[in-house]
Amino acid sequence: QVQLVESGGGLVQAGGSLRLSCLASERTLSNYIMGWFRQAPGKEREFVASIEWKNSITYYSDAMKGRFTISRDNAKNTVVLQMNSLKVEDTAVYYCASRLTISLNWDYWGQGTQVTVSS
């Protein structure tokens, strides 16, 4: 069982930046893929970005590519989502998730952190 705890959400003006962190309880994450998702009010949860812990291969949603960067800190067991050039439409609850590399399902989820971008 992997426990995930997000932090770093908040209120920012459009064009600004925020840095989200996700601390994972699992000691050995080499068999996991870590991801970020978001859910805006009235909308379905959508994929933002992911990183394979073992080799740092990353994937991004086209909508976030170039503005968001996902990375990992091995020493801190933390995944970071750096969000730049934020837009009002980026307002959502952001969730950290993880899955085994051999799994198709995102099995573990954090509680979410609110990101609000004002105009």
Side-chain angles (χ1 to χ4, degrees):
Q1 186 89 6
V2 180
Q3 293 184 332
L4 304 170
V5 179
E6 303 99 332
S7 61
L11 174 64
V12 64
Q13 284 191 329
S17 299
L18 276 177
R19 183 180 175 93
L20 304 183
S21 295
C22 172
L23 175 63
S25 63
E26 178 70 25
R27 283 190 177 184
T28 304
L29 292 170
S30 58
N31 295 324
Y32 286 86
I33 296 174
M34 308 296 294
W36 286 96
F37 291 75
R38 70 183 187 184
Q39 188 166 19
K43 295 187 177 181
E44 292 187 355
R45 190 173 296 185
E46 64 173 339
F47 171 80
V48 174
S50 67
I51 183 167
E52 191 165 340
W53 195 270
K54 185 175 183 179
N55 52 29
S56 294
I57 292 177
T58 58
Y59 293 97
Y60 294 92
S61 167
D62 287 343
M64 279 66 107
K65 199 175 293 184
R67 297 191 299 124
F68 292 7
T69 303
I70 189 170
S71 61
R72 64 167 179 77
D73 185 329
N74 197 40
K76 296 181 180 179
N77 257 30
T78 297
V79 177
V80 173
L81 184 69
Q82 178 67 42
M83 306 185 294
N84 298 327
S85 302
L86 283 163
K87 306 175 182 179
V88 172
E89 51 264 42
D90 292 320
T91 296
V93 177
Y94 284 70
Y95 296 91
C96 180
S98 68
R99 63 176 176 91
L100 289 167
T101 55
I102 59 172
S103 173
L104 296 178
N105 300 315
W106 293 91
D107 295 316
Y108 306 104
W109 294 84
Q111 80 286 353
T113 185
Q114 177 71 46
V115 171
T116 303
V117 184
S118 63
S119 59

